[in-house]
Structures are given as structure tokens and as C-alpha cells.
Amino acid sequence: QAMTVQLDIGGTIFRTARMTLTVKAQGSLLARVAENMNAAYLVFADRSPKHFNLILSFIRYGNDTDLSDSEEELEEIKKEAKYYELYDLVEKCDKKLSIIEANKPKLSVINSEKELNQKIACLGRPMIVIRFNSKHWGEVFHSTDALALVNQYKSVFDIHFMQLAHDATYFRFSIHDNTLTKFATISDARCNKTFIKFLEKRITRFLAEKFNCYIPFIDVFE
């Protein structure tokens, strides 16, 4: 019968055959540790146990192991795989992350004032320009992501993003239209965490005025 060894990963006990680690994970940190273990040993690793079952599954079954579709979890798995020196798993994570990135819809980014003015001059339908500082991106898109915002309003607006100066703190926006020009003034909420709500209220008011419809409970922003 194959010798079973125990690993304490961040306070959670995992058991596996010693040969699984010494043979199938050959060359890794886990293999080197297992070579010096017997059934009485309990080796502690101060790492998260969250993905260790998956790591053992990958050691046992290789590429037949299914990985998460979550970028966050893939990055976590990749980090642990690097620590344990399981470079085939690192490569598998990288390949899946590359596929996810390639399949993402891309945000439209305006790179200069000249390009912006060209788009304004050729407006076909209303356009929203969101001016951003990547350093503060997480403050704005903390409960929704930028693509979700674009998809929510894409039936009415073209939405573009434009980089602010590095020292700019607050996200800003403007709404451009051939006939309704009052919303073209650059606005900000003076608080990045409430920027999306502020923008959506302005969008609601724009739509009410653009299509001459009454929408109750609209805050008035001048």
C-alpha cells in the first residue's frame, strides 16, 4: 500500500500518497519536501489552503484538471503554483488568462484632444466621454465594471474613455449631442465612489430632455 503523507496548509490538513508528490510533481518544492517525509510527519506551510485541493488534483491528473473562469482566482492559483514550483500549472493559468483577455470586449480610448474634437465633429448619436485616472480606477469601478456600464447604455450612447493628467484626482465626464449641447460641460462628482451614480443621474436627465419625456425624481444638476 502506498505511503500516505500529511500536509498542513494554512491550518487545513491534506492527505495524499507520497508517490503522488515525489513522482508526479517531480522537481517541485512539494516533491523535495515529500522525499524526506514519512507517515508520521506533518509538514506545515504558511500558505492559503483555498486552492490546494485543485493543486493536488493538477498533480494527479495534469491538464485534465479544470480551472476557474475567474481572473481573480486564476491569479491566486498561479501565485500558489509559483510558490510550489509547479510551472506546468503556472503555464496553464497563463494560457487561460490570455484566452479571457483576448475575448474581452475592448474599451474605446481617446488618446488626444485632437481625436476627441474629431469625434465630436462627426457625431452621429449621443456620446459620453469619461475622463479617468487609472490610479483611482478602483475607487470608481468598485461595484460594477466599466464594460458593464458601456453595455448598459450602448443602445443609446457611444462611450469613450480618455486619460486624465497623472495628478488628477476626480473622474470627469461630458455628454455630447448635436442638438442638446448643455451637457457637454465637463462635470465631476467630487467623490470617485459616487461618480457612477452622479453620471447615471446626468444620463437620466439628458434622456428626459432629449426625448421630451418626464422622468420623476430626477435631481437637478446645473
Side-chain angles (χ1 to χ4, degrees), residues 114-134:
K114 180 179 179 181
E115 184 181 351
L116 172 60
N117 291 332
Q118 288 173 342
K119 288 186 179 296
I120 293 172
C122 301
L123 275 181
R125 61 184 195 147
M127 177 176 74
I128 298 172
V129 179
I130 296 175
R131 292 161 171 82
F132 70 95
N133 183 333
S134 55

Side-chain angles (χ1 to χ4, degrees), residues 70-87:
S70 161
E71 286 179 275
E72 181 179 358
E73 290 198 356
L74 286 168
E75 291 289 358
E76 291 171 356
I77 295 165
K78 179 180 170 181
K79 181 179 179 180
E80 294 304 300
K82 281 185 176 179
Y83 176 79
Y84 295 117
E85 301 174 7
L86 297 167
Y87 298 113

